[in-house]
Amino acid sequence: MAILGTAFFVVNYFFQYVSKQLEIRDREVVGLETLSRLHQIAEKSRQELEISNARFTVLLTSTGEGVLGLDMDGTVTFANPRACLLLDIDYEDLIACDIQRFMIADSGSKSTRPQKILELLGIEAKNSYDFFNWRTAKDEAFVIEYSCEATVNKNAERTGAVLLFRNVTQERGNEERVQYLANHDDLTGLANRANFHEVLKNAVARRRNSRSLAVAIVDTDHFAVINEKYGQQAGDELLKQIATRLKSSIREGDHVARLHSDQFAIMLADLNIAEDAAMVAEQIIKEASAPMLFNLEEITTSTSVGIAILGEGEKDAEELISRAISALDNAKAEGRNTYRFFNPDMQEKVEEKKRVQILLRNAAENDEFTMVYQPIVDVKLGKIYSSEALIRWPPAGEEPIRPDIFIPIAEESGQINSIGAWVLSTVSKQVKNWSDDLGVCPSIALNISTKQLKDSVFREHFIEMLRVYDIPVHVVELELTETGVMEDEDKCFEELIELHKLGVKLSMDDFGTGYSSLDYLRRLPLDILKIDQSFTRGIGVSENDEEIVRVMIRMAHAMGLRVICEGCETKAHLDFLIEHDCDLVQGYYFSRPKSVQDITALFIAERDGKINIMDGDAS
Ligand code: C2E
Ligand code: MG
Ligand code: MG
């Protein structure tokens, strides 16, 4: 605009100059005695005017800006060649044109602002016009940048205006693209993270107290699996379709964005009640679960949603997002394909998870894990059948952390592989020690996470350990613990089948809860079904639980499987289980998980006939 400014100054100067000369001429009293003087003035004026005109002509023809002179009606009174070029019109046709001919009448968009040039001339606009959007005589739209200034006569009355303008369509296009990219996600066309934060921050600041504002974080369940199975292009296509579905699920005034990867965020504005947010979440989950087509193949997915609602008097947008993310974690932990609201307990859980994650990083290195063993009793023989190896972790200087807390965290981070490898070699070594010390090799049950079966590393290590410690394969039982949906099901199944072929017994742990499905019973070469302790706890309390235990035992037997009931704490539990034909029982009634020293003493006492395990734990 510096050039425009200078040009404007020169043009304006020209008008002032002409006005001044005319004014002088008007004022002169035409008398004989002054004729000579007048002649001199006229001659001087003519010369000055010629010089100035020449300068002005050069300027007008060489400048990159279009220059238009307008009268008070907005009619073009002069134009430089550039103006003719920009408006795509001959000089003769341009002169006497109404300037409004080149403005684009707008269809009622909100962006309309009055054209400054019309305001300056006090002309009533014939239409509302798009600010800065003009068109050529041949109706080609273009974006201009302009400045205008009024011209005045000797009495300081307005005579019209000079308008300088240039075509900035290309620059604006580039600027708009840069602006667009700064605020949008290129793949889905949705707003991006930065834009979402900005919009949310403004909404939080503007919020009226009586209305609620919520953030919902939407995450595609097992997106990595889809990417792996169908390829990245399918993954991209899926994200685009989810984006479209999200846009159709929200209401006017809401704002949807893609935060990263397969995570989206929605700002739910102006909610009446929290249930409104739940309705939107339900809608999102429903929409997202409809199959999507990619290369004629149907891909089905699901989503989890975490929702946080801005509390009364709260103003922190960032906090709101982080709460929604905590709620999302909870939705995922509770089986995915669902939504959860944030509450303070959730926050605590998340903080605890972070603490465990940090502590876990050094646990293996610092040799912080130990193993304990709990007997599993063959109630028909009245003898210890095997022992389940259970990990213990007292992080240095901290209270012990339970395995059902840290194992899922280790599974998520991938640390389960090194922990599992440590468990396998520690237990193998121990079995070898028992075999050497007791003269018989006791059976052992090992918990393995299906996350350890993503490749053949576990199987190879397992075979190696059996070989190194000279352990017969039939004494080992692998308990499949499932804390989430099996990710690469085919590979897991393949590994389990290979392990089973070696002669390892397989048991399905915690049956009846979580993720262990009937489908696994059908497809896996299982030997044992382990009924979850939550059902055993219901014996004598809940008829429903008792019925479930009875049915599960019958069903397992019908499938040729043996049954372990875990969590047997009382004689009444044991009696019920024996009565209903349970084969194997584990629980505090017989023994709590014991250190190596204590369980070794138990093995010896039983071997020597000093105790009857069926009498329960006297200690
Ligand atoms: P799980 O495999 O179902 O193990 C049984 C859990 O029930 C053990 O808890 C055990 O101490 C507890 N338990 C046994 N009898 C009773 C009883 O009569 N009453 C009650 N209330 N509890 C009883 P623990 O040791 O805390 O282990 C929890 C879970 O952690 C295990 O459940 C297993 O899923 C996982 N886990 C433990 N060790 C390992 C491991 O080495 N690797 C893997 N992947 N997971 C492990
Ligand atoms: Mg187990
Ligand atoms: Mg269990």
Side-chain angles (χ1 to χ4, degrees), residues 244-255:
T244 310
R245 291 176 186 194
L246 286 181
K247 272 194 282 188
S248 70
S249 304
I250 61 169
R251 309 148 316 149
E252 205 182 318
D254 293 349
H255 188 61

Side-chain angles (χ1 to χ4, degrees), residues 388 479 509-510 530 532-533 566:
E388 178 173 8
E479 293 191 4
D509 205 350
D510 303 335
K530 241 183 135 168
D532 189 70
Q533 54 179 286
E566 54 183 21

Side-chain angles (χ1 to χ4, degrees), residues 325-379:
I325 291 173
S326 312
L328 172 71
D329 284 346
N330 214 33
K332 287 182 154 194
E334 289 180 28
R336 302 172 197 253
N337 197 23
T338 185
Y339 66 89
R340 286 288 176 274
F341 280 92
F342 171 86
N343 62 37
D345 293 353
M346 221 180 277
Q347 186 73 23
E348 250 170 55
K349 257 199 220 166
V350 170
E351 273 157 23
E352 174 63 8
K353 184 173 163 185
K354 274 194 208 139
R355 185 180 80 92
V356 173
Q357 272 167 340
I358 293 166
L359 288 171
L360 258 182
R361 279 185 213 144
N362 303 319
E365 224 171 81
N366 296 349
D367 216 7
E368 290 172 348
F369 297 120
T370 56
M371 295 306 295
V372 292
Y373 299 85
Q374 187 180 31
I376 298 171
V377 175
D378 184 328
V379 288

